[in-house]
């Protein structure tokens, strides 16, 4: 096979998409069956699964990954039993199908790392699958081969009576066909495949030498072929069918006892003919360029390709006529049927149209006028196609507009834009100092162009959260089954887009939250029934866009979080004192789950109990310049709300001043800015508040949070921020201006400091800390 490494990345991307699609479709099918969905829904899902498995098998074989193709083929056969109605998609079958996906995914991972599938033990998995084939009365491949071997050996071993099973035909119907090639015969591999195809039309080919796989792969470059065929046809017909092939020198047909019942010299077909061959691929087939290239390669092996439409390079790149077919003018000594067989053996080929051109028309006397009319029509069609050559190029342009870019290039590009933003800030300060009008106008244009560039790059980095969300239905199902719970898992807003960097870190966070919901939150079915709840717990994963940020919500209808139990566990673990617990509100107690080492589980399992999880969630969310809030009601359930920026590379921030120091506050954390007069401040429980449009809002000076002396101001600006459960007004000395800033990490040495998301560099070179409001005020709900 030719080197197809140039297509490897495309194959891997498509394979991963197919795996995700299969996983979700299989789980959706299970849900449809369980909930009694319509037959139309069930059939549509079954067809999708079968189509994805078939395509995965075909593309793997195309790339030369035969082990992967074999596993996908076995899974396809297993699901064919469901499609044909022989077995139902029970939970046990779903488990086996998901195990197939695990093996396939592991092979794809190995291909990405090493270029090979790796050595995986699939025998035990195939044995599990075989039970379903046996249940359906289908061989599934392995059993049939064993049965055929036994049937073949039976006469030789003299076990006639035992061998006479109703389905076994008499030994006289089995023949050994020996095919001798001419010594200088080219393309023996292709010819062997065509002979095998012809024999399969006459009966069942029980055994081959060399192995069937070698012949089917077109690699049977041998002098003699041997086939054991089981058929009702006459031996003379077998000889005639085989001997008509060019390059065949002699054919012998023998009984299994060794008696020759038919033999003859190879006749071939003699003389070359010219054909117009049109190859149609499935419109939704992946890797069309690879598939077309391999078909064209096979045609070149059996003759001379005089012309292609489009040209060979476009065909190889997948730029086909109307996006799914191409034509070839082929000169060969093969007949039409053989050419069609060569083409249609390839997966994803929908059809092949082969028409002889040149010498065929004069051979028929009567239809001459019709032929002329047909030729005129063909010429007219060709003229029309030539005239319309420009428009037919349009699909090619569309295809070429879509390219795949390594994420590292986008990261580098984003860093460069970040540096440009800092440099722009420096230029703005210089322009303001010089007061040059022309420079200011030019800088304004530069600023606009840079903003557009920044927006375009940020748009390129946006990825649907579905890329992460689609991994979870499988995880939820397996964990629920393992823990003996029933869970209805619902996903909403999977098309919401966030920055790739955020998405990469979001996966681990959601794994912790979902596992906790199943382990701690949702009760066993029996317990839920006693409480008057449905047997199946409801678990929701929701994404939605809110202004300049994204909200990710994980909600369950389970036990909820008991604040008193949380306090007791925290005291037991020495995380708080009894005095502190007594002073805590329920909201503050619930937030104790974010402390390192905290867990309500008495026994350690592979799911929970180690006290590692929620503190990690909080740290990751904080590193993303986001916030996390938890809402819970005992007996009703728990909701976690994550607020994350859409992008965290370049953000808009408001610069503020406190005691001559400048700080940056991300705009997405700010609801509004207000001016507060001291005379309007009220005191509730010893804390200052302000009434804003009928709502009581606590007021905290940033000086107090930083441990700075409190100024005596009669009037001061404040930022109103949302902490999830309540709003808070943060007083500062001065509001400066809004600015695009580039977030720089504080580094490992300072990463433990709460209240700061990072730092940025202003145009004058000064470093400004970026305030992380949620961390500064105590980590979320009830933290003040």
């Amino acid at each position: 096979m030719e080197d197809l490494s140039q297509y490897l990345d495309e194959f891997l991307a498509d394979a991963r998409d197919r795996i995700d699609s299969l996983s979700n479709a299989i789980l959706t099918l299970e849900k449809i069956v369980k909930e009694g969905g319509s037959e139309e829904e069930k059939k549509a899902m079954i067809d999708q699964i079968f189509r994805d498995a078939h395509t995965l098998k075909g593309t793997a074989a195309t790339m030369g990954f035969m082990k992967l193709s074999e596993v996908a083929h076995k899974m396809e056969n297993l699901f064919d039993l469901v499609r044909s109605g022989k077995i139902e998609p029970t939970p046990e079958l779903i488990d086996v199908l998901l195990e197939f996906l695990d093996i396939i995914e592991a092979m794809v991972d190995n291909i990405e790392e090493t270029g090979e599938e790796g050595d995986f033990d699939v025998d035990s998995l195939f044995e599990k699958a075989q039970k379903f084939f046996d249940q359906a009365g289908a061989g599934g491949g392995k059993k049939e081969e064993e049965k055929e071997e036994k049937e073949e050996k039976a006469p030789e071993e003299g076990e006639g009576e035992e061998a006479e099973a109703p389905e076994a035909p008499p030994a006289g119907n089995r023949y050994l066909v020996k095919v001798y090639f001419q010594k200088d015969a080219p393309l023996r591999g292709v010819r062997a495949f065509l002979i095998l195809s012809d024999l399969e039309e006459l009966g069942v080919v029980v055994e081959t030498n060399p192995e069937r796989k070698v012949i089917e792969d077109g690699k049977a470059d041998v002098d003699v072929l041997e086939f054991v065929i089981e058929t009702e046809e006459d031996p003379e017909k077998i000889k005639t069918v085989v001997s008509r092939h060019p390059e065949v020198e002699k054919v012998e047909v023998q009984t299994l006892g060794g008696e020759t019942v038919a033999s003859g010299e190879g006749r071939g077909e003699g003389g070359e003919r010219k054909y117009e061959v049109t190859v149609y691929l499935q419109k939704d087939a992946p890797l069309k360029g690879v598939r077309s290239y391999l078909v064209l390669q096979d045609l070149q092996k059996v003759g001379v390709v005089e012309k292609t439409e489009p040209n060979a390079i476009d065909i190889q790149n997948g730029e086909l006529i109307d996006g799914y077919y191409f034509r070839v003018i082929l000169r060969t000594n093969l007949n039409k049927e053989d050419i069609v067989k060569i083409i249609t053996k390839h997966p994803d080929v929908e059809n092949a149209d082969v028409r002889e051109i040149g010498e065929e028309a004069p051979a028929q006397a009567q239809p001459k006028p019709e032929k002329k009319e047909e030729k005129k029509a063909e010429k007219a069609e060709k003229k029309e196609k030539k005239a319309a050559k420009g428009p037919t190029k349009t699909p090619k342009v569309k295809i070429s507009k879509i390219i795949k870019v390594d994420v590292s290039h986008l990261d580098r590009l984003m860093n460069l834009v970040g540096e440009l933003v800092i440099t722009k800030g420096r230029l703005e300060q210089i322009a303001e100092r010089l007061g040059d009008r022309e420079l200011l106008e030019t800088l304004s244009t530069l600023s606009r162009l840079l903003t557009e560039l920044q927006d375009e790059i940020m748009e390129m980095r946006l990825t649907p959260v579905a890329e992460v969300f689609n991994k979870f239905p499988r995880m939820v199902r397996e964990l629920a089954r393992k823990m003996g719970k029933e869970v209805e898992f619902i996903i909403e807003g999977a098309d919401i887009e966030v920055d790739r960097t955020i998405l990469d870190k979001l996966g681990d966070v959601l794994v912790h939250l979902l596992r906790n919901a199943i382990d701690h939150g949702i009760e066993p079915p029996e317990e839920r029934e006693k409480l008057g709840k449905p047997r199946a717990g409801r678990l929701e994963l929701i994404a939605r866009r809110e202004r300049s940020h994204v909200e990710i919500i994980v909600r369950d209808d389970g036990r909820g979080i008991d604040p008193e139990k949380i306090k007791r566990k925290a005291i037991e673990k020495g995380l708080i004192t009894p005095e502190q617990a007594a002073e805590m509100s329920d909201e503050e107690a619930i937030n104790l789950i974010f402390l390192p080492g905290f867990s309500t589980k008495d026994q350690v399992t592979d799911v929970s109990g180690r006290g590692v999880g929620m503190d990690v969630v909080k740290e990751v969310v904080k590193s993303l310049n986001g916030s996390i809030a938890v809402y819970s009601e005992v007996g009703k359930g728990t909701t976690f709300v994550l607020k994350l920026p859409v992008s965290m590379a370049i953000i808009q921030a408001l610069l503020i001043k406190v005691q001559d120091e400048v700080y940056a506050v991300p705009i997405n954390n700010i609801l509004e800015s207000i001016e507060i007069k001291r005379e309007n401040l009220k005191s509730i429980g010893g804390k200052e508040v302000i009434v804003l449009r009928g709502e009581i809002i606590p007021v905290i000076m940033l000086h107090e949070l930083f441990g700075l002396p409190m100024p005596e101001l009669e009037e001061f600006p404040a930022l109103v921020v949302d902490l999830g459960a309540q709003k808070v007004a943060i007083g500062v000395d001065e509001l400066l201006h809004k600015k695009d800033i580039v977030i720089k990490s504080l580094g490992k040495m300072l990463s433990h400091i709460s209240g700061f998301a990072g730092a940025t560099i202003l145009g004058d070179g000064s470093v400004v800390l970026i305030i992380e409001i949620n961390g500064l005020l105590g980590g979320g709900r009830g933290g003040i």
Side-chain angles (χ1 to χ4, degrees):
M1 182 173 284
E2 295 292 323
D3 181 20
L4 300 176
S5 58
Q6 59 180 313
Y7 301 107
L8 184 60
D9 288 343
E10 190 177 348
F11 164 73
L12 290 171
D14 180 75
R16 293 195 187 286
D17 287 344
R18 299 284 172 187
I19 291 168
D20 284 346
S21 176
L22 279 165
S23 178
N24 290 324
I26 289 169
L27 296 179
T28 302
L29 175 65
E30 183 182 42
K31 185 177 179 182
I32 291 171
V33 172
K34 186 177 180 181
E35 296 178 356
S38 68
E39 284 300 316
E40 291 77 12
E41 288 179 310
K42 183 178 174 182
K43 184 179 183 303
M45 205 52 60
I46 289 173
D47 289 344
Q48 180 188 326
I49 294 168
F50 192 81
R51 188 166 58 248
D52 281 337
H54 179 77
T55 302
L56 185 58
K57 176 194 75 174
T59 53
T62 299
M63 296 297 295
F65 300 122
M66 301 314 297
K67 291 180 185 176
L68 175 56
S69 180
E70 181 187 4
V71 175
H73 180 55
K74 195 77 171 181
M75 184 174 73
E76 178 190 19
N77 288 345
L78 189 57
F79 212 85
D80 191 36
L81 299 179
V82 179
R83 190 170 70 157
S84 59
K86 293 180 179 177
I87 58 174
E88 286 297 314
T90 60
E92 292 72 28
L93 175 62
I94 298 296
D95 286 341
V96 173
L97 289 170
L98 292 175
E99 282 186 52
F100 269 97
L101 277 186
D102 285 339
I103 290 288
I104 290 171
E105 188 169 18
M107 286 184 171
V108 170
D109 289 340
N110 216 63
I111 290 168
E112 187 171 26
E113 292 173 10
T114 67
E116 297 178 356
E117 298 111 307
D119 188 17
F120 291 92
D121 180 17
V122 295
D123 291 343
S124 60
L125 183 58
F126 283 7
E127 285 175 9
K128 289 181 183 178
Q130 189 60 47
K131 292 177 182 177
F132 291 98
F133 287 115
D134 295 342
Q135 177 186 331
K142 188 175 178 182
K143 295 285 184 183
E144 280 186 353
E145 288 171 11
E146 290 173 358
K147 188 173 93 174
E148 285 165 356
E149 285 175 12
K150 286 177 183 176
E151 287 172 352
E152 188 179 332
K153 288 176 183 175
E156 296 175 12
E157 292 169 2
E159 298 173 3
E161 292 181 14
E162 290 182 19
E164 289 177 5
E167 64 269 22
N173 281 5
R174 286 197 175 189
Y175 302 101
L176 172 64
V177 181
K178 292 185 178 181
V179 182
Y180 299 84
F181 284 124
Q182 297 168 1
K183 290 183 179 179
D184 57 348
L187 308 171
R188 297 180 183 183
V190 176
R191 184 60 58 193
F193 170 76
L194 295 173
I195 293 172
L196 173 62
S197 299
D198 280 352
L199 289 175
E200 284 184 324
E201 289 181 5
L202 299 178
V204 178
V205 177
V206 177
E207 186 179 342
T208 69
N209 183 25
E211 293 179 1
R212 176 186 289 266
K213 185 176 180 300
V214 175
I215 296 175
E216 288 178 343
D217 288 345
K219 297 177 181 178
D221 188 12
V222 295
D223 293 332
V224 182
L225 293 171
E226 292 184 352
F227 303 92
V228 174
I229 181 173
E230 185 178 287
T231 179
E232 298 295 329
E233 298 290 350
D234 186 83
E236 281 295 327
K237 184 171 182 179
I238 299 173
K239 180 205 75 175
T240 302
V241 167
V242 176
S243 62
R244 71 179 178 81
H245 284 272
E247 297 100 18
V248 170
E249 185 175 71
K250 186 174 71 171
V251 180
E252 290 181 357
V253 182
Q254 302 175 351
T255 64
L256 295 183
E259 180 187 354
T260 301
V261 290
S263 66
E265 302 296 322
R267 293 195 306 251
E269 301 243 341
E272 287 187 331
R273 296 178 183 177
K274 191 180 287 188
Y275 300 94
E276 181 185 80
V277 182
T278 307
V279 181
Y280 298 91
L281 299 180
Q282 294 173 2
K283 290 186 179 181
D284 60 347
L287 305 173
K288 286 191 178 73
V290 185
R291 183 66 64 206
S292 304
Y293 169 65
L294 293 174
V295 172
L296 184 60
Q297 205 177 37
D298 278 356
L299 292 177
Q300 288 170 336
K301 289 177 182 176
V302 298
V304 177
V305 174
E306 294 185 348
K307 183 183 177 183
T308 66
E309 184 187 352
N311 63 55
I313 294 175
D314 284 348
I315 290 175
Q316 187 172 346
N317 290 335
E319 298 175 2
L320 310 179
I321 302 171
D322 293 339
Y324 71 98
Y325 70 95
F326 64 95
R327 289 195 183 92
V328 173
I329 302 301
L330 176 69
R331 183 160 46 84
T332 179
N333 59 5
L334 298 186
N335 58 32
K336 292 181 184 180
E337 291 75 17
D338 288 346
I339 296 172
V340 170
K341 284 177 185 175
I342 289 172
I343 295 169
T344 54
K345 75 172 183 176
H346 290 271
D348 301 326
V349 172
E350 186 78 37
N351 194 13
D353 180 30
V354 181
R355 298 180 187 177
E356 188 172 346
I357 56 178
E359 297 93 35
E360 191 176 49
Q364 295 177 356
Q366 285 187 327
K368 266 188 180 180
E370 291 180 18
K371 287 286 178 183
K372 283 181 180 178
E373 286 177 16
E374 284 176 16
K375 285 185 178 180
K376 284 179 182 178
E378 283 178 17
K379 285 180 181 178
E381 273 184 66
K382 287 179 181 178
K383 283 181 182 178
E384 284 177 14
K385 283 176 185 173
K386 284 181 181 177
K389 201 165 187 179
T392 57
K393 291 280 183 180
T394 306
K396 298 177 185 177
V397 176
K398 286 182 180 178
I399 293 170
S400 65
K401 282 182 180 178
I402 300 171
I403 60 172
K404 293 185 179 180
V405 180
D406 195 296
V407 176
S408 62
H409 294 310
L410 292 180
D411 291 340
R412 173 69 177 153
L413 200 55
M414 200 69 198
N415 289 336
L416 291 173
V417 170
E419 296 302 320
L420 282 174
V421 169
I422 295 172
T423 306
K424 181 191 78 169
R426 174 68 175 153
L427 286 173
E428 286 172 344
Q429 287 193 340
I430 293 172
E432 287 173 9
R433 189 173 69 247
L434 294 177
D436 189 312
R437 184 176 176 181
E438 189 176 356
L439 177 58
L440 286 168
E441 288 177 356
T442 306
L443 190 57
S444 175
T445 303
L446 174 64
S447 179
R448 178 177 56 79
L449 294 172
L450 188 56
T451 300
E452 288 182 14
L453 177 62
Q454 175 186 324
D455 290 343
E456 283 296 323
I457 294 172
M458 289 175 72
E459 190 71 26
M460 289 165 62
R461 291 176 58 86
L462 293 180
T463 309
V465 293
E467 192 166 314
V468 170
F469 281 19
N470 287 344
K471 307 286 185 184
F472 295 131
R474 169 86 181 275
M475 183 196 82
V476 168
R477 176 188 183 272
E478 291 181 350
L479 187 57
R481 281 174 65 84
K482 182 178 181 180
M483 302 189 71
K485 297 182 179 181
E486 295 179 17
V487 178
E488 179 188 6
F489 186 44
I490 295 162
I491 291 177
E492 293 179 14
D495 56 340
I496 298 294
E497 294 182 322
V498 297
D499 189 279
R500 182 82 197 193
T501 306
I502 293 174
L503 199 66
D504 289 343
K505 294 185 178 180
L506 187 60
D508 292 339
V509 169
L510 295 178
V511 166
H512 282 303
L513 295 179
L514 292 170
R515 286 164 70 97
N516 271 353
I518 298 170
D519 189 23
H520 294 275
I522 294 175
E523 310 93 337
E526 297 77 15
E527 184 180 333
R528 290 180 64 86
E529 285 184 329
K530 289 177 183 177
L531 294 170
K533 294 182 177 182
R535 281 181 61 86
R538 185 180 177 90
L539 180 57
E540 296 173 274
L541 178 59
I542 302 166
R544 63 188 182 203
R545 186 74 177 263
E546 296 286 344
R547 296 195 301 276
S548 58
H549 66 273
V550 171
E551 282 190 354
I552 307 292
I553 300 168
V554 178
R555 179 188 297 133
D556 69 72
D557 67 347
R559 297 187 179 97
I561 300 174
D562 185 348
E564 295 304 318
K565 183 179 180 182
I566 296 292
K567 289 179 187 178
R568 289 196 300 271
K569 282 290 180 181
I571 293 170
E572 285 176 19
K573 293 179 177 291
L575 299 174
I576 59 171
T577 63
E579 292 75 22
Q580 288 174 320
E583 294 177 0
M584 278 185 174
S585 66
D586 288 349
E587 295 167 353
E588 290 172 325
I590 288 173
N591 274 276
L592 291 173
I593 64 174
F594 294 109
L595 291 176
F598 183 85
S599 176
T600 57
K601 277 283 185 179
D602 296 318
Q603 293 183 342
V604 174
T605 67
D606 59 348
V607 177
S608 60
R610 295 177 174 82
V612 178
M614 296 310 296
D615 60 317
V616 174
V617 168
K618 181 181 174 183
E619 287 303 312
V620 172
V621 172
K622 175 188 167 186
S623 72
L624 295 173
N625 194 30
S627 65
I628 181 169
V630 54
Y631 307 85
S632 187
E633 189 176 345
V634 177
K636 296 288 183 68
T638 302
T639 301
F640 287 91
V641 180
L642 283 68
K643 289 187 178 180
L644 302 167
V646 177
S647 175
M648 58 174 298
I650 299 173
I651 63 170
Q652 281 196 326
L654 180 64
L655 298 183
I656 62 170
K657 187 176 278 189
V658 176
Q659 293 244 330
D660 298 326
E661 287 290 339
V662 177
Y663 299 92
V665 181
I667 290 290
N668 65 335
N669 289 340
I670 303 171
L671 295 177
E672 60 181 311
S673 60
I674 59 174
E675 284 289 331
I676 297 179
K677 292 182 179 179
R678 189 159 293 279
E679 62 191 48
N680 293 333
L681 290 175
K682 311 291 182 185
S683 180
I684 298 178
K687 293 183 179 180
E688 290 182 328
V689 300
I690 188 172
V691 179
L692 183 65
R693 293 186 289 275
E695 187 176 2
I696 298 173
I697 299 175
V699 177
I700 299 177
M701 297 300 290
L702 199 54
H703 309 69
E704 181 183 349
L705 296 172
F706 286 169
L708 299 172
M710 292 287 289
E712 292 296 330
L713 300 172
E714 291 302 317
E715 189 175 347
F716 57 89
L719 305 175
V720 180
V721 298
D722 185 5
L723 294 182
Q726 64 180 149
K727 295 176 183 177
V728 177
I730 300 174
V732 299
D733 288 344
E734 187 181 351
L735 302 180
L736 299 177
H737 54 267
K738 189 171 71 172
K739 196 169 188 65
D740 286 341
I741 63 170
V742 180
I743 300 177
K744 300 289 186 180
S745 171
L746 291 175
K748 290 184 179 179
M749 294 291 290
L750 302 176
S751 62
H752 64 284
I753 299 176
S754 63
F756 297 101
T760 190
I761 303 170
L762 298 183
D764 60 1
S766 60
V767 177
V768 170
L769 291 172
I770 302 168
I771 295 174
E772 197 261 298
I773 295 292
N774 194 266
L776 197 62
L777 294 175
R781 189 178 183 205
I784 301 174

